Amino acid sequence: MRGSRALPLAVLCGSAFLGAIDVQLANIAFPDMLRSFPSSGLPELSWVFNGYAITFTAALLPAGGLADRFGYRRVFLAGLTVFVIGAALCAIAPSAGILIAARVVQGVGGGVITPLTLALILPYYPPERRGTAIGLWSATQSVATASGPSLGGLLVGVWDWRTVFFLHLPVGLVVLAGAWRTLARTPPSTPSRLPDIVGLILLVAAIGLPSLAIVQSDAWGPGSPGTITALATGVVVGVLFIRRARSHPAPIVDLRILRARSTQRANLAMFLLGLVIFALPLANILFLTRIWGYSVAQAGLAITPGAVAQVLTAPIAGRLAARTGHRRLALCGVVLLSLATAYLAVATGGGQAYLTVVFPSVVVTGVGIAVLVTSLSGAAVAEIPPARLATGTALSVTSRACGAVIGVSALVLVLSGNRVGEIGAYHGVWATMLGICAFIAVAAAGLRSPEAPATANAGQREPGTEPP
């Protein structure tokens, strides 16, 4: 049994690794993309990240329903194929527009394969050893998180940003061939409804239109008809999405799981955290390359200790959550993240001092993010019935992804134009993130502690936490 499952498990872990490391590599390569497409500028190229994030989020939610209807193996292979094709298109993209379109394609594939890798790994383990399977899946993504910055920097140093996407091709093709040959054919489960396509379109528009308004407000003008129209339309579409999700028999997001107050608070805090944790590394990379003059490879190595600290802290935070409660742990994470961003804001006014300024900041940031993600992920599902855990987890991931899109868009607005080369702009970014941390603390303060009497699911143990 052990030998028969080794190859398919390696294939599935390779798929999880590709999905997890992609965003890390793209972030590291971003400064080099700016140099390759100087006429496009920061606002347009920000859609290399935002386009991927939006379609990744949109694909993440219906992936399970499609797999239930058409079979996990079939949908997984389709998603992996789309992901590899998207990477190939990115590698040969002759213009920024084609690169963004390719990232949108790749995001669809990434959103499908990320949840299905775990669903395909679980059957290889008996029920009493499912924790081992989840640990293997989490460890694979943790390795990707830790190795992404340094590997991305080295790859860009070999040639340019295209190298990180060319790397996807041999690895992706090997994984795809292995999956085709080794994964067992899985018949569809009990036929389920197709995902709500109209709701999916509304969700994409509700995320994308405000992001468009934020990114383009510098060029269009804050009070211009284009900016106001995009913002207003995004709000209207968001309301329509909520109304449809409440009434549709098979909604993209089942909003009934938000009835518990602690679940609402956890998802709000996760959204606010998303504003910070993806924009902050990108801001740090741009600071190191544009202000301190680091190469992309040096910048990747410089922020790697933060990713390593995040990986090492996550399992410890998971154990602490059971002892201290989600609220206390989340508030500790907020304090750590606040200290790290505040230190960057006040300590980077002088000359270059990596060991005394950037190194401690990225390490403390990594610890704070790991603590926050772990505690908020647990709180988001703590009051959800076991049968709805998958939906609860998907919703918390979606909340964080929505925050990521808005956060990166806001970062682009602050650094657009020549401000990307002004140190004062980065001080403003870090100060703003410090303010967001205060709102995260307010939301986290309303989380229910496990020791407190629960209303709906008393005694239900936390099922686990998602990987960082």
Side-chain angles (χ1 to χ4, degrees):
M1 175 64 180
R2 183 174 300 176
S4 63
R5 73 186 181 193
L7 187 55
L9 285 176
V11 167
L12 291 169
C13 287
S15 302
F17 183 88
L18 273 178
I21 202 172
D22 182 81
V23 174
Q24 300 279 345
L25 296 178
N27 275 349
I28 292 297
F30 195 78
D32 203 53
M33 294 178 191
L34 287 171
R35 286 190 286 269
S36 292
F37 303 111
S39 61
S40 298
L42 186 61
E44 182 179 351
L45 281 176
S46 69
W47 289 96
V48 171
F49 176 88
N50 282 348
Y52 182 93
I54 291 171
T55 53
F56 177 93
T57 303
L60 179 72
L61 293 169
L66 290 172
D68 287 337
R69 187 177 182 88
F70 298 108
Y72 279 71
R73 178 181 182 272
R74 181 179 300 175
V75 175
F76 173 78
L77 288 173
L80 187 56
T81 301
V82 170
F83 183 85
V84 174
I85 290 174
L89 294 174
C90 289
I92 62 175
S95 67
I98 294 177
L99 174 61
I100 293 167
R103 286 290 286 170
V104 168
V105 172
Q106 196 181 15
V108 174
V112 171
I113 65 176
T114 297
L116 292 189
T117 50
L118 179 59
L120 286 163
I121 286 173
L122 287 176
Y124 288 95
Y125 290 84
E128 64 273 12
R129 295 194 62 203
R130 292 288 165 84
T132 302
I134 296 173
L136 177 65
W137 182 72
S138 300
T140 301
Q141 297 193 65
S142 296
V143 170
T145 299
S147 61
S150 54
L151 178 61
L154 292 173
L155 288 172
V156 173
V158 170
W159 182 16
D160 63 10
W161 60 268
R162 298 179 190 275
T163 314
V164 303
F165 294 108
F166 276 124
L167 174 70
H168 286 59
L169 300 184
V171 178
L173 290 174
V174 169
V175 170
L176 184 60
W180 184 270
R181 291 177 59 88
T182 64
L183 295 184
R185 296 185 181 273
T186 53
S189 59
T190 303
S192 58
R193 294 179 182 268
L194 285 172
D196 177 20
I197 302 300
V198 174
L200 184 62
I201 295 172
L202 291 174
L203 175 63
V204 171
I207 301 172
L209 286 172
S211 302
L212 177 64
I214 294 171
V215 169
Q216 293 299 128
S217 62
D218 188 59
W220 293 348
S224 67
T227 301
I228 295 174
T229 300
L231 279 174
T233 306
V235 172
V236 171
V237 170
V239 172
L240 292 175
F241 168 74
I242 292 173
R243 292 185 62 180
R244 187 172 182 87
R246 287 176 173 173
S247 60
H248 197 275
I252 291 294
V253 179
D254 190 347
L255 298 179
R256 291 175 295 179
I257 64 174
L258 288 173
R259 290 174 179 171
R261 181 170 174 267
S262 187
T263 305
Q264 296 173 10
R265 292 276 187 156
N267 279 278
L268 173 59
M270 192 67 88
F271 170 80
L272 294 170
L273 182 62
L275 295 173
V276 175
I277 63 174
F278 290 93
L280 181 58
L282 182 56
N284 291 345
I285 291 167
L286 290 172
F287 171 80
L288 290 171
T289 54
R290 292 302 183 95
I291 304 299
W292 280 10
Y294 279 29
S295 67
V296 174
Q298 290 172 326
L301 290 172
I303 68 169
T304 295
V308 174
Q310 185 177 342
V311 170
L312 296 177
T313 303
I316 301 173
R319 291 191 292 269
L320 286 175
R323 299 179 182 178
T324 65
H326 303 304
R327 179 172 58 212
R328 292 177 183 174
L329 192 63
L331 291 174
C332 288
V334 173
V335 170
L336 291 172
L337 189 57
S338 300
L339 290 174
T341 52
Y343 185 60
L344 275 175
V346 301
T348 52
Q352 297 185 20
Y354 172 76
L355 289 178
T356 57
V357 177
V358 174
F359 177 79
S361 177
V362 297
V363 170
V364 175
T365 295
V367 174
I369 289 174
V371 169
L372 272 167
V373 170
T374 302
S375 57
L376 295 178
S377 298
V381 298
E383 295 189 57
I384 294 177
R388 310 294 298 282
L389 288 178
T391 301
T393 301
L395 184 58
S396 69
V397 174
T398 301
S399 299
R400 189 176 65 183
C402 290
V405 174
I406 301 299
V408 171
S409 300
L411 174 68
V412 169
L413 174 61
V414 173
L415 298 181
S416 59
N418 294 326
R419 293 188 294 272
V420 72
E422 298 176 0
I423 190 171
Y426 295 93
H427 289 163
V429 167
W430 293 321
T432 301
M433 290 180 178
L434 182 61
I436 295 172
C437 287
F439 287 101
I440 298 175
V442 172
L447 298 178
R448 183 183 300 280
S449 295
E451 304 84 17
T455 56
N457 298 295
Q460 181 179 317
R461 297 178 63 86
E462 179 194 344
T465 57
E466 70 169 301

